Amino acid sequence: MDKIGVIGLGRMGAAIAERLAGQGGTVCGWTRSGRAVEGVPFAATLADLVAQSTVLVLSLYDDAAVGAVLDALLDVPLEGRLIIDTSTANPQVLQARAAALAAKGARAVDAPISGGPELVRAGNCGIFIGGTEADAESARAVLTPLSARIFHTGPLGAGLVMKVINNGMLQAYWAGLADMMPLARRAGLPLETVLNILAGGPAGMPALRDRLPKVLGEDEAVGFPARGVFKDNALFRAIVQAHGLTAPTLERLAAEQEAATETGVIDQDLARLIWLAYDRGAENLSQP
């Protein structure tokens, strides 16, 4: 059985470690901050984690964190290790180090996850793998406890591009709601009525239906913060631009960041962005 080392124990990394351990996996964790997860053994150093693991699962915040950890891994023995990077980071960070990792006897895939910690813990997230066919199959065997929706999308880096497309479509839907909700408020339609109609009809989608209590302020738990949405949005736009393309819907959603920051919604669940847009319709009601 594989011995899995999870590097990075933030919201997503903790959920990954808990789910893998809960499904019977042999799991150990390590994070630069020293944060531990209840029920998951914690390695004292990165070198200790690598020494006792056959698979290393990265769940890190951004490009800088991924690059720093990969560089640190290159300083320790890696023979026979499989590196699975689930971080939402620019694929060039891993691609630039792929040859050096291979020279040390390690294999690597990118495997970003679509869905927040709650979907990871429930085993209902989506996972998009980029890498060789053999490496993707090895990664699939490790990640199967996290989801039945695991896809090999192409060569190294293709997993992140698929996440841009998949989650970019979700962000496009949120951008459309940001345009329509002020109209609902201006016309006097109750937010709950509007959202129930949308969620129950062809214009709805599970991401909206599942978050209705959060939109309406009935559930203040944060599944995925708006801050994370905008962080991902900036990366998605950079990936699109790197391919010589534009995505106006992603630009539209990015325009919501200033208001989200000013109102404090930035640290609330992303669902509150819908409420924020609806509330904006109350502005300048005296204007024709």
Side-chain angles (χ1 to χ4, degrees):
M1 180 180 292
D2 286 310
K3 296 180 179 179
I4 306 169
V6 178
I7 301 174
L9 297 171
R11 295 171 62 86
M12 287 293 285
I16 290 169
E18 290 171 1
R19 175 70 183 182
L20 291 173
Q23 294 295 302
T26 301
V27 182
C28 187
W30 179 84
T31 186
R32 295 180 299 172
S33 68
R35 182 177 186 270
V37 175
E38 185 176 353
V40 176
F42 187 82
T45 67
L46 180 60
D48 289 341
L49 183 77
V50 174
Q52 62 186 282
S53 304
T54 55
V55 177
L56 301 169
V57 177
L58 277 59
S59 179
L60 301 164
Y61 184 71
D62 57 15
D63 293 4
V66 173
V69 166
L70 289 175
D71 288 342
L73 287 175
L74 287 169
D75 288 333
V76 300
L78 291 176
E79 184 69 33
R81 303 315 195 273
L82 172 63
I83 297 172
I84 303 174
D85 184 15
T86 69
S87 315
T88 301
N90 195 310
Q92 293 180 354
V93 177
L94 179 57
Q95 289 169 329
R97 295 164 174 82
L101 292 169
K104 297 205 66 169
R107 298 176 292 151
V109 300
D110 63 305
I113 295 174
S114 178
E118 69 280 6
L119 291 183
V120 171
R121 289 189 174 93
N124 292 327
C125 60
I127 304 176
F128 315 124
I129 301 177
T132 68
E133 180 115 17
D135 293 346
E137 284 306 308
S138 296
R140 183 193 299 273
V142 174
L143 299 174
T144 292
L146 301 183
S147 177
R149 299 182 60 251
I150 302 177
F151 307 92
H152 180 207
T153 59
L156 191 65
L160 195 282
V161 174
M162 186 64 236
K163 178 166 182 175
V164 171
I165 296 169
N166 185 82
N167 286 40
M169 289 301 299
L170 292 173
Q171 292 197 0
Y173 185 76
W174 245 243
L177 289 171
D179 280 338
M180 293 295 102
M181 290 305 99
L183 172 62
R185 176 67 177 85
R186 184 66 62 93
L189 280 65
L191 179 59
E192 185 172 3
T193 298
V194 172
L195 295 182
N196 279 322
I197 290 173
L198 290 175
M205 61 188 310
L208 173 60
R209 182 187 63 244
D210 295 345
R211 278 187 152 80
L212 284 182
K214 297 183 186 296
V215 179
L216 300 173
E218 299 168 356
D219 177 4
E220 296 183 357
V222 179
F224 191 73
R227 183 181 301 277
V229 171
F230 293 118
K231 189 271 288 186
D232 287 354
N233 177 274
L235 174 62
F236 294 173
R237 287 184 284 122
I239 298 300
V240 170
Q241 291 166 8
H243 286 77
L245 300 168
T246 61
T249 51
L250 295 181
E251 299 285 351
R252 171 65 189 88
L253 186 65
E256 296 292 305
Q257 184 169 0
E258 182 177 356
T261 301
E262 292 175 351
T263 58
V265 168
I266 193 82
D267 291 314
Q268 298 176 20
D269 189 87
L270 65 92
R272 293 294 281 169
L273 293 173
I274 301 173
W275 168 84
L276 182 64
Y278 180 81
D279 190 63
R280 187 163 59 243
E283 298 175 2
N284 301 320
L285 282 178
S286 62
Q287 298 294 322

